[in-house]
Amino acid sequence: MNWKNDLTENLIWNHGLSQSIRLQNWGNLFFPRPYGVMGPELGAQSYLQLQGSIPLLNEDIVTGQGCKDGIEYSLKIGFDRFFRWNLNDVESGVRAFLKMMGVENVDEWLAFEFFFLKLEHLLAHGYLTGQCAEDPPFLKVSGENIDTLVEPASPTVVQKSYLVENIGKGKLPWSVQYSDDAAISVSPSNGELAENESAYVVVEVDTGQLQKGVYRNKLLFENGFRKAEGLRFGSLGSTFREVEIKVVQQPDVAPTITGFEDRGDGFGLIEWNFDASSLDVEMRGYEIYLQVDGDPVWTIKRTVYGIDTVSTIMSGLPKGKNACFRMQAYGEYSTRTPNSAEHCVQLSGGELTLTLVNSLSEGSTATATLNRSGDLTNALSVYLDSSDVTEADVPAAVILQAGQSSASFTVTSVADGIVDGAQNVTISAYLAGWGSTTAELTVIDQDSTTPKTWKQIDTSGLTYFSKVSGISQSDVYFSRVAGDKIYRFDGNNFTTMSSPANTGPIWDLYGDVALVREDGKVGILKTDGNSWQSLNIPADKTTSFDGVNIWSEGNTIIARARGNRSINYLNGSWFYYNPGTGDENTDLWGPDADHYYEAYWSNGLGKQRVRYHYNDAGSWKARTLDDFPAKFIRGIPAGASPGTVYGVEGEKIYRWVDGQGVTEMTHPLSGQAGYAFYGTTESGGNLYVYGANQWDALVFKLSGDIWTDISPDTLSAVGDMWGSGGNLYAVIGYDLWYFSNP
């Protein structure tokens, strides 16, 4: 068998010169497979058996578990008769091998890096020496470079430990090569590690043996297996570590801040001087630190590059604050000077903030407040602007007087007569040196293509009305002005209801009860939906004074009379109650039989107050809501807590929250004069307030924190209102009105 001719045929068959060696994939690597020598497994085995009766090995060359297809045998037996491999001069052997195959441009082949990598792998494992070897020992070194700085006047011994491990197979002879001198020592500097064995190498540098400057050395951790086998290829974990020790005097001279020029609006020029000529190291720049109002934390504010720089502009400084600066120079080898002395200044200017209502109805006004923090010494004229003057306008400027931290101005919304929906407007204030501030405002459109759904109820033949209440949409009750008539409205028709003969004027209605004058005293009527019957109040539990308000839920009835009189019916028992000398009730309301609120005027304190009552396990208790000046109230209680309570008084709308107290709410008519609220009601989970503005009917609905004007178009005041299921019934002037799902 002529193996050379066989090889030539395979080379020609395999697409010519540039790919004259066919690549066989072993694991994730490729290696040239000369088929003419190795052949298919059957042919290779037969050939090898003819040459030396050596059995074929079929193991993975990449994992080190042997030699796939017996390449070392076929190469050795097939090639030994023509040329021999010189393991110390692999290139010559490769050139001879390629020439044997007829390759002309040998240099091009030798430039293929992968070719040498694979030959190196074979040589390191002994695959071309006639036997299959296991993976060689592999050196692993743990530990970083030595890089430190020491003072020449304070010599020390710099020490570093390195862990050397054999993570390969077999025995690993290792050594540490370095430039030996009087300063450095390595212990141990060599040894042998069995498989998975490790050892520590301690490197010490005595800095007392070093001169000023930079000391450098290099540690070569070498895997000695390569030398033992006489091989050049493959490091097998050999690696370097650098040693660099700076023996320099730390800078002991600090920069000096010589001045600061405040340029306003958070800008300033800081100046300094610094002489670095006596220092051992090269200084390269500066870091400037800032402290504000005595805060113990110093923050780096600016880095300046260039040691010859003597000033820089600072920006973003806290206007109107007490600012302290200090600085240090930095240089090579991460050296730094001490901090400079502190330089403190009071910065000019300050911060502006603007507060404004969230929303404003078209054609109304609101008060905005501009606040300043910082320097109050001088008066300021601050410019004002509106992002859309067709929706809301402001004055050109507002003046903060000397010593004053705030000033107010008026925002006027524009009634444009255009159906344009809610519009967002940005109100801004600006002054050079103080910066700017903004506040957002929503202008609520009062123009609508949809007519309001208020309807006047036909009351032909009936007299005027003053009170309205009810139980449901089909049980609405109206009373006459200072009269003795109560009418029932079922949603379509009115019915005049009968009352006891001794009933006088009707003062108040609530649900199915009425507060009346009866036999010259305060009386209470209750209806079954057809007629009104008198409740039998014991003679010693009533009063001859006129009644004012009544409230009833379940088995609880509270009736307030003028002055300091009260008649209560609780859980089947009547009793007389004096709420306080001179107290005059203005409103009663509660959501259920165990909780109710009362608003009253305290003659003793000379102010309007609100009291909350709750049933605590059969015992009624009361709590006064301090500084809540509401005449008419509605609330959302929470057990013993009054919860959230809404109230009106004159031109004001208030909200009282337990734990937070009372705040005045804004609404569409804020800033207008000549209006008053006469009461508040709820319907379908919504809250409404009502009254009059120059005798125009007013009704506002609360949505979140925004009051929406849903007033009917009539020149009369809304005197009383009651709601059910989201619908409203109102006494407007002397007429009756109905609003469906407002």
Side-chain angles (χ1 to χ4, degrees), residues 21 75 79-80 82-101 103 106 109-110 115-116 119 123 128 232-233:
I21 296 180
L75 284 174
F79 294 161
D80 273 357
F82 296 98
F83 60 86
R84 292 193 172 276
W85 293 97
N86 182 349
L87 298 181
N88 292 315
D89 187 8
V90 175
E91 182 177 336
S92 297
V94 173
R95 286 182 178 276
F97 172 64
L98 293 176
K99 288 180 179 179
M100 183 73 70
M101 293 191 295
V103 176
V106 173
W109 273 100
L110 292 177
F115 192 84
F116 283 105
L119 284 176
L123 290 168
L128 299 183
R232 295 189 304 118
F233 290 85

Side-chain angles (χ1 to χ4, degrees), residues 581-603:
T581 302
D583 291 348
E584 297 184 10
N585 182 262
T586 57
D587 196 17
L588 283 171
W589 183 82
D592 53 54
D594 294 319
H595 308 84
Y596 72 93
Y597 305 89
E598 62 169 332
Y600 62 95
W601 172 263
S602 172
N603 285 329

Side-chain angles (χ1 to χ4, degrees), residues 138 164-170 172 193-199:
F138 196 93
V164 293
E165 301 175 79
N166 179 6
I167 61 173
K169 304 291 186 179
L172 188 157
L193 297 174
E195 185 176 328
N196 296 323
E197 187 179 6
S198 62

